[in-house]
Amino acid sequence: MTEFCKHLWNTLTVDHRGDVYNCCLIQPAKMGSIYSEKLSDLINTPEIIRIRQKSLSGSLPCYSGCNLIDKTKNTSREYEKLPSLCTYTGFRTLYLDFGMKCNISCIMCRQRNRYKTDQTLLDADLLIRHIDFTPFENIFLQGGEPLFIDECLKLMTYLAKTRKKYSLLTNGLLINEKMAARLAKEASLVSISLNAATKTTHEKINRGSTWEQVLANIRRMRKYREKYHSNLSINGRMTITVPSLTEIPLFLQTYQELGFDTINFGYDRDSVPPFLENHPEFTAALSKEIAKVIPETDNSKIDLLRLAQLGIA
């Protein structure tokens, strides 16, 4: 089975230090720095060409540990005749990680502590000078909390002026009336980190968040989306932790009531897989409950990849 990763040909990530990779997991190798070169000049470094060749030959070093790729799919048609050299206009997805500055402290997130010693933030003016955003159909702005970072807000303004849509990964707390109206007009996707299906568990996990405030802000975006007749999509992102495992079925059942158009999942790698492995009876019962709920929901709007990877869907 080939170890093909399409991100090597269509995705670029700039981390908070300005280092460029193909993957939002900061893999498989650094391509260069956006601070010293333009993004278009970094896509065919000798090292990344070798890595593309390894992917095509079935020996990509980061493939086995990757949970971004759906490894059940037959990708043979995707990689046939792919060149090792890429053209910049062929890239479609860009991730910009603005830094670890955040207004809350989630229990599974290490960024708040890391920010104490690494307060580096991406420079929006430099990004504007060194990145031609034209080819990208998906531009993901993330942190930390991107709406808590002035440099991200500055880039959002630039992208809006150039009529380039962006996607935002946020905890949802800072979406007041003005921001909700802005996002309804400017963004293609806002993904909200609602890491549970109930107030008690959400506030236990997203320390510093308020359940009612996040839901009110989702309603604000929906109101302005209707007012402006925009195509904004609102996604619910549940990063699974051990305390929220039992709430997965409820999240599947109620995501539309919470205000989401679509949902997807992540999981804490350090705690969730070993917990499920060490509690087989719990895992079996949870799997049965999820299997019962899924047919009762609009699962065309649900990304089940991570649940499948955990063996519970």
Side-chain angles (χ1 to χ4, degrees):
M1 183 175 180
T2 185
E3 296 185 354
F4 170 66
C5 175
K6 64 182 180 181
H7 298 296
L8 293 166
W9 283 266
N10 67 16
T11 302
L12 293 167
T13 292
V14 183
D15 76 2
H16 68 293
R17 297 184 183 90
D19 294 333
V20 179
Y21 300 83
N22 279 119
C23 175
C24 62
L25 296 179
I26 314 303
Q27 295 286 350
K30 178 180 171 181
M31 302 165 72
S33 173
I34 196 69
Y35 287 161
S36 57
E37 297 180 78
K38 290 187 176 181
L39 188 61
S40 56
D41 295 331
L42 297 173
I43 61 170
N44 286 313
T45 62
E47 176 63 14
I48 208 63
I49 289 173
R50 285 194 293 271
I51 288 172
R52 289 189 192 118
Q53 291 169 340
K54 287 181 178 180
S55 180
L56 294 173
S57 65
S59 57
L60 183 63
C62 54
Y63 184 88
S64 61
C66 182
N67 66 352
L68 296 180
I69 300 171
D70 185 350
K71 298 174 184 177
T72 64
K73 289 184 177 180
N74 186 342
T75 56
S76 58
R77 291 184 180 179
E78 292 187 64
Y79 70 82
E80 285 176 358
K81 300 180 181 178
L82 274 175
S84 297
L85 288 171
C86 288
T87 59
Y88 187 68
T89 54
F91 284 87
R92 291 291 177 265
T93 300
L94 175 65
Y95 287 89
L96 298 174
D97 180 355
F98 276 87
M100 293 178 278
K101 184 179 180 182
C102 192
N103 56 331
I104 63 173
S105 179
C106 298
I107 62 172
M108 67 290 190
C109 182
R110 290 120 185 119
Q111 291 188 342
R112 188 72 176 263
N113 284 332
R114 291 173 182 168
Y115 183 68
K116 294 176 182 178
T117 57
D118 183 0
Q119 299 184 8
T120 309
L121 301 173
L122 277 181
D123 184 321
D125 290 331
L126 188 138
L127 294 178
I128 292 167
R129 290 197 303 270
H130 282 195
I131 297 178
D132 175 4
F133 291 94
T134 306
F136 298 107
E137 298 171 353
N138 305 295
I139 302 172
F140 291 92
L141 311 180
Q142 57 191 34
E145 171 48 51
L147 296 180
F148 196 53
I149 300 174
D150 289 341
E151 292 299 315
C152 181
L153 297 173
K154 188 186 296 185
L155 186 71
M156 287 165 56
T157 299
Y158 170 80
L159 293 173
K161 286 181 179 178
T162 60
R163 299 191 177 185
K164 196 72 176 174
K165 293 282 188 176
Y166 56 81
S167 297
L168 194 73
L169 283 66
T170 173
N171 59 46
L173 279 174
L174 299 177
I175 304 174
N176 56 21
E177 290 287 333
K178 183 177 180 181
M179 181 56 68
R182 178 178 180 179
L183 293 174
K185 290 186 284 187
E186 297 178 5
S188 58
L189 169 72
V190 175
S191 187
I192 305 283
S193 297
L194 198 73
N195 295 320
T198 65
K199 170 183 170 66
T200 299
T201 308
H202 168 77
E203 293 180 0
K204 177 181 179 181
I205 295 168
N206 285 31
R207 293 176 300 195
S209 181
T210 305
W211 173 263
E212 292 86 358
Q213 186 63 60
V214 175
L215 296 189
N217 293 347
I218 294 170
R219 291 193 294 271
R220 280 191 175 116
M221 286 191 292
R222 295 183 69 88
K223 176 182 71 174
Y224 284 106
R225 177 174 70 178
E226 183 176 352
K227 178 179 179 179
Y228 298 129
H229 305 287
S230 82
N231 294 321
L232 172 67
S233 179
I234 303 171
N235 180 71
R237 167 78 173 186
M238 181 180 181
T239 298
I240 302 165
T241 59
V242 172
S244 67
L245 276 166
T246 57
E247 297 194 3
I248 295 171
L250 183 59
F251 192 69
L252 291 166
Q253 288 175 308
T254 62
Y255 76 90
Q256 291 175 320
E257 297 172 27
L258 296 172
F260 298 125
D261 304 309
T262 60
I263 56 171
N264 64 355
F265 296 86
Y267 58 86
D268 180 29
R269 291 189 179 200
D270 292 340
S271 63
V272 173
F275 180 88
L276 292 173
E277 184 178 352
N278 293 328
H279 297 82
E281 292 183 3
F282 170 88
T283 303
L286 179 60
S287 299
K288 287 181 181 179
E289 194 173 352
I290 291 171
K292 181 181 178 181
V293 166
I294 287 175
E296 301 171 355
T297 66
D298 182 0
N299 53 64
S300 66
K301 306 295 185 180
I302 301 172
D303 182 350
L304 295 170
L305 175 61
R306 300 299 174 82
L307 300 188
Q309 291 173 341
L310 291 171
I312 53 176

